[in-house]
Amino acid sequence: MRLADIDLLDPLTFRTGPPHQLFAQLRAEAPVHLHHRADGPPFWVLTRHQDVVRVARDPLSFSSARNGAFLDEQPAAVRQGPEQTTLVNLDPPEHTRLRALVGRSFTPSAVGTLTRRVRTLCTLTLDRVAERGECDFVRDIAAELSLAVLAEIVGFPDSDDRRRVHRLATLLGDPMEQAFPDVTMRATMELFEFAHDLAAWRSREPGDDLVSVLTMAREGDALTSRQFELFFLLLATAGHLTTQYLISGAMLALFEHPAQWVRLVDEPGLLETGVEEMLRWVSPVMQFQRTATRDVEIGGQRIAEGDRVVPYYVAANRDETVFAEPDRFDLRRPENHHVSFGGGGPHHCLGNNLARLEARVLFEELARRMPDLEPAGPPDLLGSTFVNGIRSMPVRFTPTRPLRLRPRN
């Protein structure tokens, strides 16, 4: 294909998943490629690992706040000044301050204490479908577990609340719904309302969850009401949905590489490296936008101050100079330097430790409890230009009785 004909803003380009052949062509012919668009300014597409990492780790030269981190316009409610924007659209030092306030619940040690509870939630999730012998993997397993863990951390245990948050987050994450701006705006405002009510409840009845910690913070450390609402929006989308996409995409990869699934069933310890390969292969968030704050050079190409630059993590994760046989899904892959969490720097994914834990525990339990798990129909892919996700994926397995036992550590 001619470089001028590549359109990374057209959902049809992503209708069968990330266009890895096009990204390979770009890495070979134009690793720093100026992509034009009819409805807005052009942007530079970065497809090499080294360039993606460089931009991620240089926030002084590449701003998330100027023009925002999204190629597409965001609802007005999330782009009106420093107090009206999410963490992904902020630069240091404001980003650093807010991230420090919420980041204590996502450190390796904090997440490590959740291992037993995550396994319990995983057991309950699989128990709900065990006797049926079939289910929708996305809705009944990936989304259910991801949302249950989020609810545990944040502190909204009611199942009706969980279904409400999932419904609203799905509206915001599905490109079919994004064609209706009024729908996504209403979903955004309803999530804000839910977050506001949740914070008010926890301020009256605090627990040991993240919301209680944030609402009880000292005045100098406290988030404003709008900052908390925006943080909750980020948790519901970037936290919940991307983990759902990771788990679903990893299961699809195992279906497409059945020898790897057999190997995992025989040797669950493979998940030590296997989870990293799942992250590399799926790359749930495919790109974010940055804006150059000064004239710079990337890969021999001059980038002018004010130019928009878009690192494609999904492309960098198949860079032939970094990954041997990058188009091979290998749970044993050593030294997996993927950039699925952003490639380092201040915007490195806050929930990376939790996402790893959820994936490891779930696939351990799936390999143990449902070793004959197989597809029962084709997956319905999102076809998004931003996230690599699956809308639904029917599966079947041998029915079993729920465990109803104390899960292993």
Side-chain angles (χ1 to χ4, degrees), residues 93-346:
E94 181 63 12
H95 175 274
T96 306
R97 186 186 75 82
L98 290 179
R99 184 179 171 110
L101 292 180
V102 300
R104 300 160 191 163
S105 297
F106 298 96
T107 64
S109 60
V111 170
T113 65
L114 295 172
T115 301
R116 182 187 295 273
R117 185 56 183 159
V118 169
R119 196 174 296 278
T120 298
L121 293 171
C122 182
T123 297
L124 293 172
T125 297
L126 297 184
D127 275 355
R128 292 189 186 99
V129 300
E131 293 182 304
R132 289 160 46 185
E134 61 180 8
C135 69
D136 184 295
F137 188 89
V138 178
R139 182 192 63 226
D140 298 322
I141 296 180
E144 188 71 22
L145 176 63
S146 174
L147 192 61
V149 173
L150 174 64
E152 180 80 11
I153 292 174
V154 176
F156 55 101
D158 185 82
S159 58
D160 288 339
D161 286 343
R162 284 158 52 174
R163 283 191 290 271
R164 180 185 177 194
V165 170
H166 177 66
R167 174 179 60 82
L168 295 172
T170 299
L171 286 174
L172 293 174
D174 193 322
M176 291 180 64
E177 301 293 345
Q178 290 165 6
F180 306 97
D182 289 347
V183 172
T184 56
M185 175 61 77
R186 285 197 298 270
T188 299
M189 299 313 295
E190 192 173 339
L191 271 176
F192 283 174
E193 180 184 355
F194 179 88
H196 178 82
D197 292 344
L198 178 63
W201 171 51
R202 281 310 192 189
S203 66
R204 296 190 304 269
E205 300 180 32
D208 58 359
D209 53 85
L210 176 58
V211 174
S212 297
V213 171
L214 292 176
T215 56
M216 300 299 290
R218 293 172 303 182
E219 184 173 346
D221 290 336
L223 299 178
T224 66
S225 177
R226 180 43 57 93
Q227 285 173 338
F228 175 76
E229 292 164 3
L230 287 162
F231 175 61
F232 187 83
L233 174 68
L234 187 65
L235 285 175
T237 52
H240 161 47
L241 289 181
T242 55
T243 303
Q244 171 186 316
Y245 299 151
L246 166 64
I247 292 169
S248 303
M251 193 70 252
L252 178 59
L254 289 165
F255 287 153
E256 293 174 338
H257 301 82
Q260 294 291 310
W261 174 243
V262 171
R263 186 173 294 172
L264 179 58
V265 169
D266 292 339
E267 190 182 344
L270 279 177
L271 287 166
E272 188 69 26
T273 56
V275 167
E276 302 307 313
E277 180 69 344
M278 292 171 179
L279 284 159
R280 182 190 75 88
W281 189 264
V282 179
S283 302
V285 176
M286 294 189 289
Q287 45 85 357
F288 270 126
Q289 175 180 260
R290 301 288 184 259
T291 300
T293 61
R294 61 185 179 88
D295 292 351
V296 294
E297 185 177 292
I298 302 178
Q301 177 65 57
R302 180 180 176 274
I303 308 295
E305 184 270 334
D307 281 1
R308 299 169 189 242
V309 175
V310 182
Y312 273 82
Y313 313 113
V314 65
N317 280 340
R318 300 288 181 103
D319 190 330
E320 303 82 355
T321 66
V322 176
F323 305 99
E325 298 182 82
D327 295 323
R328 178 170 58 89
F329 181 63
D330 181 7
L331 296 177
R332 296 182 185 274
R333 183 179 295 276
E335 298 187 27
N336 197 331
H337 301 296
H338 65 78
V339 292
S340 295
F341 290 124

Side-chain angles (χ1 to χ4, degrees), residues 371-384:
D372 62 347
L373 185 69
E374 62 179 8
D380 180 14
L381 305 182
L382 279 179
S384 168

